[in-house]
């Protein structure tokens, strides 16, 4: 039965655009053609009365506008922007450095057109490392090219810095999280059914089963990093081949098989929190491991290097968080079934801000789905923090 979404706040859609020339067309349709980038967003607010501050949610490839948290904040009187990058709902060709340019355009729109004095980056999940990468480049710009060597001059882009950062249920980076989820049993990238039985923890007759011992976990994690590095080396070789082929080809898309294999999901004693066993945010981890919605399932050479490569991606929090000087709040969800349990505390420790705070919400899952009490708790925390630091 069709149900119309009725909410106690308004959703005002907007579109902004700016000039940019690209080497080739990255996304299908008009959004990135004709030398212009077009970006979509929504402003959520209970009424049209002015506010000094806005929380800006942005994820590399999702608008986040239908998640429980932005709506609950708007219902509580907070002004919220949910911003889309040029790669909205398709991270196959995503370049993190270009997403920073898109985020800067949304912040400029918030200040110059919507007249907000304070813009706070609300880095939820994958938006956490994005927000930290952005703020680091806004405060101390230095990146002039993507990891593939393509020019993206953030040092002269004039990225406007935000006035505060929230890290909510966030991981360290897409590259590190993917690496912790890569199935290390895959021996041949083009043949995912050829697997190393010593490392195949999802096999019906698995050699190693929960609870996993420390020696096996160390070997498993090392094999995950090794697989990421093999793909990175191959991607770099393919880019070199394309550059020397002189046949008009510039980019190459490819599939990464079996990317949702984390011992945490089937062994609650690994990086423990209050999450349910044999479950991840995409459901059954064994099904997600080979399903179409798995992390990094479809990608390109340049995108792999920019957002997924363990060694080449510049969006790693450890590289960027020490440069942050604005007030920061880090929230860990105690039963998070997506973000690795140890990541939020590491983010907090890495942040260079002299004014930072850490909070943990016991029992909260990644999305706060059907958890109204936990959702109300995080809204209360965010409003309190805003009153104290940025309003």
């Amino acid at each position: 039965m069709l149900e119309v979404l009725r909410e106690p706040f308004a959703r005002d859609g907007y579109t902004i655009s700016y000039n940019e020339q690209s080497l080739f067309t990255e996304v299908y349709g008009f959004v990135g053609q004709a030398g212009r980038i077009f970006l979509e967003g929504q402003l959520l607010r209970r009424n049209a009365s002015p506010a000094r501050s806005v929380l800006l949610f942005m994820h590399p490839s999702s608008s986040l506008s239908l998640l429980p948290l932005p709506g609950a904040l708007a219902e509580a009187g907070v002004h919220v922007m949910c911003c889309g990058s040029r790669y909205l709902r398709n991270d196959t060709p995503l370049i993190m450095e270009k997403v920073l340019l898109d985020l800067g355009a949304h912040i400029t729109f918030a200040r110059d057109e919507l007249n907000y004095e304070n813009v706070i980056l609300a880095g939820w999940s994958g938006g956490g490392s994005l927000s930290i990468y952005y703020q680091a480049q806004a405060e101390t710009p230095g990146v002039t090219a993507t990891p593939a060597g393509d020019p993206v001059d953030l040092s002269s882009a004039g990225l406007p810095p935000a006035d505060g950062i929230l890290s909510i249920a966030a991981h360290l980076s897409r590259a590190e999280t993917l690496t912790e989820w890569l199935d290390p049993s895959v021996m041949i990238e083009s043949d995912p059914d050829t697997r190393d039985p010593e490392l195949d923890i999802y096999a019906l007759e698995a050699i190693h089963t929960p609870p996993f011992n420390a020696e096996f976990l160390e070997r498993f994690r090392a094999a995950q990093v090794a697989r990421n590095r093999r793909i990175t080396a191959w991607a770099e070789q393919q880019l070199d081949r394309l550059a020397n082929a002189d046949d008009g080809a510039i980019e190459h898309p490819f599939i990464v098989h079996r990317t949702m294999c984390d011992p945490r999901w089937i062994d609650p004693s690994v990086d423990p929190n209050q999450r349910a066993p044999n479950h991840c945010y995409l459901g059954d981890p064994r099904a997600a491991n080979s399903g179409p919605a798995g992390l990094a399932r479809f990608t390109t050479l340049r995108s792999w290097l920019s957002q997924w490569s363990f060694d080449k991606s510049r969006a790693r929090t450890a590289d960027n968080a020490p440069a942050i000087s604005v007030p920061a709040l880090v929230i860990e969800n105690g039963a998070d079934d997506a973000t690795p349990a140890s990541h939020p505390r590491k983010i907090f420790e890495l942040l260079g801000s002299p004014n930072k705070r850490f909070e943990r919400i016991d029992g909260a899952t990644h999305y706060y789905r059907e958890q109204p009490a936990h959702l109300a708790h995080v809204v209360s925390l965010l409003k309190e923090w805003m009153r104290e630091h940025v309003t």
Side-chain angles (χ1 to χ4, degrees):
M1 180 179 178
L2 180 67
E3 181 179 349
V4 178
L5 185 64
R6 303 189 187 282
E7 300 167 312
F9 55 86
R11 291 179 179 268
D12 298 321
Y14 66 86
T15 303
I16 55 179
S17 69
Y18 63 93
N19 291 327
E20 184 186 273
Q21 297 296 328
S22 299
L23 292 172
F24 56 93
T25 301
E26 293 180 302
V27 293
Y28 188 81
F30 187 73
V31 65
Q33 297 183 15
R36 292 193 70 80
I37 300 299
F38 292 85
L39 307 173
E40 299 177 16
Q42 291 186 14
L43 173 61
L44 282 57
R45 52 188 176 177
R46 193 171 57 196
N47 53 56
S49 58
R52 292 179 56 202
S53 302
V54 64
L55 290 185
L56 193 154
F57 282 80
M58 189 169 180
H59 186 278
S61 61
S62 176
S63 73
L64 307 182
S65 61
L66 296 178
L67 288 179
L69 182 55
L73 285 162
E75 187 173 354
V78 179
H79 286 213
V80 176
M81 289 174 64
C82 293
C83 308
S85 76
R86 71 187 73 186
Y87 306 105
L88 188 60
R89 299 183 183 89
N90 180 16
D91 63 6
T92 300
L94 189 148
I95 304 297
M96 292 297 296
E97 289 71 25
K98 294 186 178 183
V99 178
L100 298 198
L101 296 174
D102 297 348
L103 178 49
H106 284 285
I107 294 177
T108 298
F109 177 73
R111 289 210 174 102
D112 295 353
E113 300 297 328
L114 300 180
N115 299 315
Y116 289 109
E117 297 176 27
N118 301 309
V119 177
I120 301 96
L121 296 180
W124 178 85
S125 191
S129 56
L130 168 65
S131 298
I132 290 172
Y133 185 20
Y134 175 88
Q135 186 68 15
Q137 284 300 303
E139 292 193 32
T140 312
V143 171
T144 58
T146 71
D150 300 325
V152 176
D153 192 358
L154 303 181
S155 64
S156 62
L159 298 177
D163 301 290
I165 282 191
L166 306 173
S167 177
I168 310 165
H171 51 68
L172 287 166
S173 72
R174 303 199 103 192
E176 290 157 285
T177 300
L178 169 69
T179 304
E180 294 182 17
W181 294 357
L182 275 177
D183 189 335
S185 71
V186 174
M187 302 174 68
I188 304 171
E189 291 300 327
S190 60
D191 181 13
D193 291 331
T194 299
R195 299 195 290 277
D196 182 349
E198 273 288 323
L199 296 171
D200 192 357
I201 61 173
Y202 287 168
L204 290 177
E205 301 295 333
I207 296 174
H208 298 277
T209 59
F212 300 114
N213 63 49
E215 184 276 331
F216 172 74
L217 285 172
E218 183 178 359
R219 184 152 47 95
F220 190 94
R221 295 303 191 196
Q224 289 178 307
V225 173
R227 185 184 174 199
N228 187 295
R229 286 174 171 160
R230 288 196 302 271
I231 298 173
T232 295
W234 174 83
E236 292 179 318
Q237 291 167 2
Q238 293 303 304
L239 282 172
D240 288 342
R241 179 185 64 81
L242 291 177
N244 295 318
D246 194 27
D247 62 358
I250 297 176
E251 183 57 285
H252 175 75
F254 62 100
I255 296 175
V256 185
H257 296 279
R258 301 179 72 87
T259 63
M260 299 294 291
C261 184
D262 192 334
R264 293 180 180 96
W265 292 327
I266 62 174
D267 184 352
S269 69
V270 178
D271 198 7
N273 67 1
Q274 299 162 319
R275 65 187 180 272
N278 297 308
H279 175 83
C280 73
Y281 74 109
L282 293 178
D284 181 351
R286 292 172 176 83
N289 195 34
S290 56
L295 211 63
R297 181 70 72 245
F298 308 99
T299 188
T300 66
L301 303 173
R302 286 171 168 81
S303 183
W304 175 269
L305 296 179
S306 180
Q307 68 170 327
W308 303 122
S309 171
F310 185 79
D311 296 311
K312 301 297 181 177
S313 176
R314 297 195 183 101
R316 294 177 56 150
T317 293
D319 298 329
N320 299 306
I324 305 301
S325 66
V326 296
L329 170 64
V330 178
I331 294 178
E332 174 192 347
N333 286 349
D336 205 314
D337 48 6
T339 294
S342 56
H343 284 204
R345 174 59 68 173
K346 290 179 181 177
I347 292 170
F348 175 76
E349 293 170 352
L350 288 164
L351 281 166
S353 171
N355 183 349
K356 60 183 181 179
R357 175 178 168 186
F358 183 88
E359 294 285 346
R360 185 177 189 271
I361 303 178
D362 281 339
T365 59
H366 193 60
Y367 292 106
Y368 311 102
R369 183 184 290 124
E370 298 179 354
Q371 293 188 315
H374 295 319
L375 187 60
H377 185 182
V378 71
V379 168
S380 176
L381 279 175
L382 296 182
K383 291 185 69 175
E384 173 198 344
W385 182 85
M386 290 176 65
R387 284 193 301 268
E388 292 178 355
H389 297 291
V390 293
T391 56

